[in-house]
Amino acid sequence: MASESLGLSIATVSRRLVALEQELKVNLFNRTGRSLTLTNDGRLYRSRLHDLLEQLDEEIELLRYANSNPRGHLRLSMPSFIYEHVLFDVINQFQETYPKIKLSDEYHL
């Protein structure tokens, strides 16, 4: 049921649907007794909204992907022994995984 998936009461969903129909000045539903079916306008509206929501989902995914690729500058300072014998492979893997992060290395004794 729509009200359950929205976490709203049936009365709240019903009021919101009526308000939407009034705002659009069109009947989206045929109401007969306890049954509710879409009108032709309702089917068209649902179809167009479905397409828009799919596009919105795609845009959200693109933004998530763009923001999941960290970028910037990371400065590392460590003894050269640690770099050569412990972190060399880790740092190389990091650079492959996050190519948009510029590393500045400073190694000392």
Side-chain angles (χ1 to χ4, degrees), residues 5-104:
S5 67
L6 294 171
L8 301 170
S9 71
I10 293 172
T12 299
V13 172
S14 180
R15 280 193 305 273
R16 289 185 181 180
L17 289 175
V18 168
L20 176 63
E21 287 178 321
Q22 288 172 347
E23 184 176 328
L24 297 173
K25 295 179 176 52
V26 66
N27 288 329
L28 299 173
F29 297 94
N30 294 313
R31 293 168 177 84
T32 54
R34 297 186 70 95
S35 109
L36 193 66
T37 58
L38 286 170
T39 62
N40 288 336
D41 289 332
R43 282 190 288 280
L44 178 63
Y45 190 68
R46 181 186 67 179
S47 173
R48 300 213 46 211
L49 281 180
H50 178 75
D51 293 343
L52 288 172
L53 290 173
E54 280 188 355
Q55 288 175 359
L56 180 61
D57 284 343
E58 289 174 15
E59 293 300 320
I60 289 170
E61 285 304 311
L62 287 173
L63 285 172
R64 283 185 182 147
Y65 177 76
N67 291 325
S68 70
N69 291 319
R71 60 192 96 185
H73 189 160
L74 179 62
R75 183 176 173 200
L76 302 173
S77 178
M78 69 189 79
S80 57
F81 174 84
I82 298 290
Y83 173 75
E84 292 170 5
H85 298 286
V86 179
L87 294 178
F88 178 80
D89 291 333
V90 172
I91 291 172
N92 285 333
Q93 179 63 43
F94 181 88
Q95 287 180 309
E96 288 176 17
T97 304
Y98 303 104
K100 293 183 179 180
I101 294 180
K102 182 180 182 225
L103 292 178
S104 296

